[in-house]
Structure formats: structure tokens, C-alpha cells
Amino acid sequence: MAKIISIHSFRGGTGKSNTSANLAVLMASEGYRVGVVDTDIQSPGIHVIFRMDNEQIGHSLNDYLWKKCKIEDAAYDVTASAIGHASPEDRAPKLFLIPSSLNTGEIARILREGYDVAKLNDGFQQLIAGLELDYLLIDTHPGVNEETLLSIAISDHFLLVLRPDKQDFQGTAVTVELARKLGVEKISVLLNKVPASMDPELLKEQVRTGYGCEVVGLLPLCSEMAELASSWIFVNRFPEHRLTQELSNVAQHLLK
Amino acid sequence: MNQSLLVELLDTDLRHTIQTWTFDSDSPFHIGRSADADVVIRNPYVSRTHVYVSSSDSGWNLVSISDLGVIIDGKTVRTAEFKDSVEFQLARKGPLMRVSVYSSVPGDSFDAKATIGEEAFNIPILILDERKRDEEVSAIENQDFFGRLQDIATNLKRKNDQGRT
């Protein structure tokens, strides 16, 4: 049965979209059909990491939410560019990206009118069935608005990405509690941009104490990731890097 | 009183400390991209040996060995003197750094973290204010939309489970 994994941050700048993109690539590479939906409609970004520009995006998630197209029409097969060893004829690995519109008018409309959360949920189900997905990753909008909370609520696994930072930690604690109240059973934490000077075991222990959930990964702050600046997929560019190794461990955890 | 230097690598946007190093007053050090630099900064804009810091009679000297120089208060310079603290960027597009002077009690071996405390370094520690969290959770939970959301979520999950089996 397909699994829905929502990836969320309390604040922006945690590296959530980058992490989502890299995890999606790693998970698909293990021989699965994976979809990534950019529900960060207010500030879409994950398409950049897959090097899709405005011209390449025909239909987007916005069009589906406004009933202009089927959600499958907004799904782009990025397997060839994102996963080198895949053959187009194979059933798997397959990686699909469902981007949000970059059109400011479309973004403004979402901000003004909101959208039907039940329709979004139906869209997820249609993607899973139509594209025969094993995993659907949802890149969520930071903060806790109604639409985001619902994406979290219908997930099988909720992955929180945060920096080892007091403000991130305090704010994320609220999201953890709300997710529990919405019945999310599996909640994990991924610490990103961890400076080398910090003690990993202490950080893990503090998350465990504060949130009552496990740290599934601790990604080092590294200049290579910063230099890449969302322009390509890190794990493909630096396959031997320790950050890639740690991300692989997280991907394995999500595949369990 | 002994003096020691604290070197910090700062986040360019948020200006919080990313990494720290400490040095005794009598040990000059250099910052660079090279693996054998005393302070290794792996950044393409940083030269292999970029900056040399040493004490002088009147305070401290910072010398850019790199032709790229350092940027202090918006100006590219090759040398700078400082007494308490100096903030500079390694080359125009390079990382932001700070070097500050700290005094320590004679006889004490200088352990920057123990002496000044982690707070002073602005190194984040993950300690939770549970009361604040609970207040914020209640504030959201008590709004009408949240109860409605719980119902919607329950219904959708039931529907999804039926659809997927």
C-alpha cells in the first residue's frame, strides 16, 4: 500500500525543499515509484532543484485545485534527469514532480481564496492510483495554516525538518503537538544544517526529551550544499559526501 | 590577565554563529581554504591562505594575504587593526567572520565555552519552554477551525483507507 509522507518546517530556510527533493531521488533510486507534490503554493521552490523552469511547467497543482485539469496532467516525469540509471521502459524507479505555479497571479489567488482541502486530498489519492505510486512526498508550506495541517493529518509519516536553533525548536514543538491531536501516528525529526561544533548525541537527546520523537537524521552544515544553492540535486552531484550518506539513512528509514 | 581570541564564522543572513575557534594571545593564526589553515573555511571565494591574525603592541593586526582582501564596513582592505572585535567578510562574495578578544583569569586554562558560557556564543541549545508551547497549542486547538479540521481529517483518512484497500 502506498504511503504518504509529509515534510514540514515551522520556519523557512531550513532546507526543507532541498531535503525533500534529495530524499525523493534516493527513495526512487531504491526501485520505487515516487511522487513529490509542492504544496508550498505561496513560495514554490522544489521545481528549481529539478531544473524545471516556468516554460516547462504547463499545468500545475494550482490548475488542478481550480478544476482546470486532472492532477495527473500536472505531474512531470523527472526520472531521466534525476535518476541516471533508470530506463524509460522500466516500471521503477520512477520519479514524478507535481509543481506549484510560479505565476504571481496564481499565488495571490491562493492567498486570497485558500483552496478546498478535500480536493487536495482527493488529488493525492488520484496521484497514488493513477501513477501507481509507492510513496507520495508532500513538501508543505512552513507554518501551521489550515491547508498545511490537513496535509499533515492525512499523512502516514510526518517528517519535521529543523535547524538546531532555539526558535525553530520552540515553534516546531507546537506543530508536533497539533499533529498528534490530528491523529498522526508516526512523527520523526530531521536536524539540518548542524554545525560541526555541536554534539550530535546531545542534540538527539534534547529532541527526544522535548518532543518525544526520534531524530532520524542529522545533516551537517556544509559549504558544498550551500554552494549548490538549490540548483541541482546534491546526492547526484556529491554521491560520496557524508551528507549524502546521512540522507540515504533517512531515506531507508522512510522506506521501512 | 591573559587574553584570548574567539573566531566565529557567522551566518551571512541571520548573523548567528555557525562555528567557533579559540586561540591564545601569543599564537598567531591564519584563516583559509587550505586543509592546513588554523581556521579552515571551505568556501570557493576564500583563498587557500586568506587572512593572518597576530597581536601587536597596541592590539591586534589582521592582514589579508589574499589579493581578494577582506571587506570591513563595506570597504575592501588589506590590513586592519582592532582592539576588541572586528567583523569582516573574506572577499566580496565570501563568508562573514568575527574575531573578538576575551580576557581570562590568570592561572585558568582558557576554555572559551566554559568561561563565557554557550549563551555568549549564541550557540543554540534545544531546550523547550513547555508552558509557552502548551499555551500556543491551546490557542489553536480552541479555535473553531481546528475542531472542524479534526473531523475532516478523520473522515478523509477513513475514506482514503477504504480507497486504498
Side-chain angles (χ1 to χ4, degrees):
Chain A
M1 202 174 82
K3 280 207 164 63
I4 298 179
I5 301 165
S6 56
I7 303 175
H8 182 74
S9 287
F10 171 68
R11 287 202 298 177
T14 59
K16 167 180 61 71
S17 293
N18 236 314
T19 306
S20 305
N22 281 284
L23 286 174
V25 168
L26 289 168
M27 289 169 74
S29 299
E30 292 292 309
Y32 294 100
R33 295 174 71 89
V34 177
V36 191
V37 190
D38 188 358
T39 67
D40 192 354
I41 294 175
Q42 300 177 26
S43 46
I46 202 164
H47 62 278
V48 181
I49 305 161
F50 288 103
R51 291 206 175 149
M52 277 182 82
D53 58 29
N54 230 344
E55 280 85 62
Q56 286 169 278
I57 301 176
H59 286 299
S60 63
L61 179 66
N62 307 55
D63 295 322
Y64 164 74
L65 292 171
W66 302 134
K67 303 185 179 126
K68 286 188 205 158
C69 70
K70 290 197 286 184
I71 194 151
E72 290 99 315
D73 298 335
Y76 297 84
D77 187 337
V78 293
T79 315
S81 64
I83 299 158
H85 60 77
S87 156
E89 288 83 37
D90 290 347
R91 187 193 170 271
K94 275 276 183 270
L95 183 56
F96 299 95
L97 175 64
I98 299 89
S100 280
S101 173
L102 301 176
N103 182 308
T104 43
E106 289 287 340
I107 296 169
R109 184 174 169 191
I110 288 280
L111 288 173
R112 202 168 53 236
E113 300 174 26
Y115 56 85
D116 181 358
V117 288
K119 178 133 181 91
L120 184 64
N121 175 69
D122 290 344
F124 294 157
Q125 299 303 320
Q126 284 155 21
L127 279 174
I128 290 170
L131 302 176
E132 297 174 43
L133 297 181
D134 300 305
Y135 293 92
L136 181 66
L137 270 54
I138 308 172
D139 185 15
T140 64
H141 180 65
V144 284
N145 64 28
E146 198 168 341
E147 291 88 353
T148 300
L149 283 173
L150 192 97
S151 302
I152 295 168
I154 53 128
S155 301
D156 300 291
H157 197 147
F158 181 36
L159 180 68
L160 283 149
V161 182
L162 64 141
R163 288 162 299 193
D165 166 292
K166 259 187 193 166
Q167 245 181 306
D168 269 16
F169 193 62
Q170 185 71 34
T172 305
V174 177
T175 319
V176 171
E177 286 311 303
L178 293 176
R180 289 203 172 109
K181 287 180 194 294
L182 289 167
V184 182
E185 286 167 20
K186 213 165 171 194
I187 305 176
S188 313
V189 169
L190 177 61
L191 287 173
N192 195 16
K193 303 189 182 180
V194 180
S197 57
M198 290 188 182
D199 176 3
E201 289 311 313
L202 178 67
L203 290 174
K204 283 182 187 174
E205 184 54 41
Q206 286 176 331
V207 171
R208 221 176 282 136
T209 311
Y211 295 175
C213 47
E214 284 305 307
V215 176
V216 292
L218 214 128
L219 309 180
L221 179 78
C222 76
S223 54
E224 288 91 341
M225 181 65 125
E227 282 155 35
L228 210 55
S230 306
S231 62
W232 196 220
I233 296 150
F234 187 90
V235 296
N236 289 340
R237 178 75 181 74
F238 300 102
E240 305 296 327
H241 198 281
R242 64 195 173 105
L243 179 58
T244 302
Q245 188 51 54
E246 190 70 20
L247 275 164
S248 301
N249 295 341
V250 178
Q252 289 300 336
H253 179 88
L254 295 177
L255 290 171
K256 264 186 222 161
Chain B
M1 217 161 53
N2 290 325
Q3 288 196 313
S4 298
L5 285 188
L6 171 69
V7 183
E8 292 165 282
L9 172 65
L10 304 176
D11 183 300
T12 317
D13 297 321
L14 303 169
R15 306 180 67 79
H16 63 217
T17 308
I18 294 168
Q19 201 173 343
T20 62
W21 297 260
T22 53
F23 295 94
D24 292 333
S25 58
D26 52 1
S27 59
F29 61 92
H30 65 277
I31 303 173
R33 184 164 48 85
S34 158
D36 55 9
D38 299 310
V39 174
V40 181
I41 306 288
R42 295 196 195 284
N43 182 303
Y45 294 108
V46 177
S47 299
R48 292 181 55 76
T49 303
H50 201 120
V51 162
Y52 183 75
V53 180
S54 59
S55 62
S56 70
D57 293 340
S58 57
W60 303 84
N61 281 330
L62 186 148
V63 178
S64 176
I65 295 159
S66 165
D67 290 337
L68 300 171
V70 294
I71 289 89
I72 299 176
D73 296 330
K75 289 193 197 91
T76 305
V77 297
R78 292 297 293 266
T79 59
E81 267 193 44
F82 63 98
K83 280 199 161 57
D84 305 314
S85 165
V86 64
E87 211 170 280
F88 57 92
Q89 205 181 347
L90 295 168
R92 201 36 87 178
K93 289 179 173 173
L96 188 63
M97 307 209 61
R98 179 163 58 211
V99 178
S100 335
V101 182
Y102 282 100
S103 301
S104 57
V105 181
D108 272 16
S109 63
F110 186 82
D111 176 351
K113 281 186 184 172
T115 312
I116 303 164
E118 293 201 315
E119 280 302 287
F121 285 87
N122 198 14
I123 293 174
I125 316 168
L126 305 183
I127 306 288
L128 197 66
D129 181 344
E130 289 182 17
R131 222 185 87 195
K132 190 172 167 227
R133 175 196 65 190
D134 294 344
E135 278 171 13
E136 286 175 30
V137 170
S138 317
I140 294 171
E141 203 183 358
N142 293 333
Q143 289 175 40
D144 292 340
F145 93 91
F146 196 79
R148 210 169 55 234
L149 202 62
Q150 280 177 310
D151 294 339
I152 296 172
T154 311
N155 288 332
L156 289 179
K157 268 191 273 195
R158 195 177 300 136
K159 199 175 112 191
N160 292 349
D161 287 344
Q162 283 166 358
R164 279 198 263 175
T165 46

